[in-house]
Amino acid sequence: MQIETITTQAYSDQNPGTSGLRKKVKVFQQAGYLENFVQSIFSSLEDFSGKTLVLGGDGRYFNRTAIQIIIKMAAANGFGELIIGQSGLLSTPAASHIIRKYHAFGGLVLSASHNPGGPDEDFGIKYNVSNGGPAPEKDTQAFYQYSQSISSYKTTHFADVDLDNIGIQYRGDFKITIIDPVTDYAELMQSIFDFPLLKQSISSGYITLLFDAMSAITGPYAKRILVDMLGAPEASIINAVPLEDFGGHHPDPNLAHAHELAERMFSADAPTFGAASDGDGDRNMITGSQIFVTPSDSLAIMAANATLIPAYAKGLSGVARSMPTSQAVDRVAAQFQLPCYETPTGWKFFGNLLDAEKITLCGEESFGTGSNHVREKDGLWAVLFWLNLIAQKRQSVADIVHEHWQKFGRDIYSRHDYEAVETPIANAMIEHLRELIAELPGKAFGEYVVSYADEFCYEDSVDGSISKNQGIRIGFANGSRMVFRLSGTGTVGATLRIYLERFEADASQHNQDAQVALADLITLAEQFCEIKKRTGRTEPNVIT
Ligand code: G16
């Protein structure tokens, strides 16, 4: 194989965010842009000669082009084999599983997750390490450092690989294996959940379900598992065909973007259970007839009921949540005397805890939940977990949630997002909050007395690494809390996220609307960050 070294110019903006490098497609289409980042990854890694790399994406626009480029670069850089999902497709959790199952060196996942797709929209790329999880910060920083002084990349010439037919192809000694993207993942799900019980509950009509694949990657996975294996009617899956532009929608599983599902779940003839996943299949939204389950509550409910699921029947070793996620799971951990960890936003921070078997379940407010079965959050896994719970407990989603609140109290929770704020203004807002930290403790704002204010800094209990500046936290004497941070996944300007929570022990107050129950905290949060004064915005773009 003839290796070519191509001269290139460094780009200054290749610093990965919360989850890999995400930019507009047009940015990735600039000469050498994708190549530079891929070479920066390869050049920062060691000892992969002759080893296997997993490659696939969520099928968004530019996926196939990027895959052909990466195949040639992987060959030129010395990998021995590529395992690629048919048609270039792999959901993020499936990619994580395949890396682990086939003992690959690592994997490249091509996705911008829940961000929209198409020629004028977003693309992304993320490197996952041999445990199947996102590369830790020390690696992503090394990729960025390399990209800042890159002057050439390696590639080679050969005919484009046929991505659509399953089987093995060679280019010289370089082996390319095209696999079915669903089979390994479906087998893994079968090993975790009680499929005979699920099949019986679905075929008897006890569970009726609706899954919105949002024209993204989970369509084929949901079809195989929910329809072919568990017997749900085909019509149970909507937007089932993955499209390069997700049909022009945001493949973001929340009530605003999964509106077709939301309408059905709050209609008179709603199914028992409804769920949606995102562009790359790692997020989930859980609903039941007439009820939406917040991701924070979903994590807590899973933790409280985990022993009902075959794979977790022996109990959990511990649980973890990202810092802005509500403290609902902490209450479950306290009652079951389980270790509970608080990590920065980003799934990569759960990897060490999972590998060290300190935790079994983990989750985030951003519609992500997962377990030790892979090293990514997993949308369909969460769907199957809830279906298994409903089948086992013989209760509706609403009953499961209300019973949980009665036992543990309710952490009333909401997140307000202000998108596309000018970056200097957003940075100034965070700086202003930093300055407030010192003066807030002890001050009273109506019934809210500030008990602490700080900027979250995380020390990894496994490798001792330290991650600073992970969000401003303000906690109140009554247990309420607000958190401010800037998103690390947006592609336009900055997104300010304000996370709000208030604990309610009184069961007679549990059915309140979250926005109403949090109204005072919302006003206070807006006052603290001066959002109206600094941006002129009077309300958030998205409320979840
Ligand atoms: C990614 C990360 C998550 C994170 C989320 C939001 O999810 O994997 O850990 O919670 O982004 O991050 P931010 O608040 O920085 O935008 P995904 O589904 O986009 O890959």
Side-chain angles (χ1 to χ4, degrees), residues 327 331 440-453 474-482 501-503 521 524:
Q327 298 163 89
R331 302 180 204 287
L440 279 180
K443 283 202 174 151
F445 301 88
E447 63 172 298
Y448 292 94
V449 180
V450 178
S451 56
Y452 67 89
I474 302 174
F476 299 89
N478 62 6
S480 299
R481 199 174 70 136
M482 61 178 69
E501 72 182 282
R502 177 163 90 69
F503 180 62
L521 272 182
L524 205 49

Side-chain angles (χ1 to χ4, degrees), residues 30 40 98 138-139 202 213 236 263 278 281 301 324 345 367 371 395 437 474 521 524 541:
Q30 296 172 96
S40 299
I98 287 162
K138 69 170 172 33
D139 290 347
I202 291 171
S236 317
E263 270 164 37
D278 68 334
I301 291 166
T345 296
F367 295 84
S371 87
Q395 280 180 315
I437 284 175
I474 302 174
L521 272 182
L524 205 49
N541 304 72

Side-chain angles (χ1 to χ4, degrees), residues 56-370:
D58 63 10
R60 68 179 59 226
Y61 184 82
F62 199 56
N63 194 51
R64 282 175 175 265
T65 310
I67 285 181
Q68 297 293 351
I69 291 170
I70 295 169
I71 292 172
K72 289 165 193 151
M73 290 186 67
N77 276 275
F79 279 98
E81 180 182 358
L82 279 178
I83 298 178
I84 307 176
Q86 187 181 22
S87 306
L89 298 179
L90 277 181
S91 78
T92 290
S96 180
H97 176 53
I98 287 162
I99 292 169
R100 295 164 67 78
K101 178 169 177 180
Y102 295 104
H103 305 290
F105 181 81
L108 285 170
V109 183
L110 309 180
S111 171
S113 186
H114 53 290
N115 296 8
D120 296 317
E121 297 296 352
D122 295 352
F123 187 75
I125 176 166
K126 175 172 80 158
Y127 179 71
N128 282 27
V129 295
S130 62
N131 76 352
E137 270 194 338
K138 69 170 172 33
D139 290 347
T140 55
Q141 280 315 297
F143 306 158
Y144 175 54
Q145 287 311 325
Y146 193 93
S147 76
Q148 293 312 283
S149 55
I150 191 169
S151 56
S152 66
Y153 63 86
K154 283 187 206 163
T155 188
T156 184
H157 275 298
F158 50 61
D160 275 0
V161 165
D162 169 7
L163 298 174
D164 296 315
N165 286 300
I166 289 170
I168 296 173
Q169 302 168 53
Y170 281 95
R171 297 291 184 271
D173 289 339
F174 186 63
K175 185 177 174 188
I176 301 135
T177 306
I178 307 293
I179 60 165
D180 178 278
V182 180
T183 303
D184 295 294
Y185 178 81
E187 281 172 13
L188 177 66
M189 292 302 111
Q190 208 167 6
S191 74
I192 296 173
F193 300 106
D194 189 343
F195 269 41
L197 173 69
L198 285 175
K199 201 169 174 186
Q200 194 273 329
S201 303
I202 291 171
S203 63
S204 67
Y206 178 70
I207 295 180
T208 51
L209 66 98
L210 187 65
F211 178 79
D212 188 349
M214 305 195 84
S215 309
I217 190 75
T218 46
Y221 292 84
K223 159 101 181 33
R224 179 87 59 85
I225 296 170
L226 301 176
V227 176
D228 301 347
M229 296 169 85
L230 297 176
E234 294 247 2
S236 317
I237 304 174
I238 53 174
N239 301 313
V241 179
L243 301 173
E244 284 198 333
D245 67 350
F246 309 120
H249 301 298
H250 271 254
D252 195 356
N254 57 40
L255 290 175
H257 292 303
H259 55 85
E260 190 179 341
L261 175 89
E263 270 164 37
R264 293 271 295 276
M265 295 313 295
F266 287 91
S267 70
D269 60 346
T272 325
F273 176 82
S277 192
D278 68 334
D280 61 331
D282 57 1
R283 295 186 175 206
N284 71 87
M285 175 177 74
I286 302 295
T287 66
S289 175
Q290 321 305 323
I291 190 166
F292 160 73
V293 187
T294 69
S296 297
D297 278 344
S298 177
L299 173 64
I301 291 166
M302 286 178 170
N305 294 283
T307 52
L308 297 176
I309 307 292
Y312 314 110
K314 293 203 176 104
L316 307 175
S317 60
V319 292
R321 62 165 171 83
S322 68
M323 184 272 281
T325 302
S326 96
Q327 298 163 89
V329 74
D330 304 31
R331 302 180 204 287
V332 177
Q335 180 152 328
F336 290 92
Q337 297 185 333
L338 292 173
C340 179
Y341 298 85
E342 185 178 42
T343 57
T345 296
W347 204 261
K348 59 190 172 216
F349 294 102
F350 295 132
N352 279 349
L353 297 170
L354 289 163
D355 284 350
E357 298 181 6
K358 289 183 167 217
I359 59 168
T360 312
L361 288 189
C362 43
E364 297 187 277
E365 52 64 42
S366 55
F367 295 84
T369 18

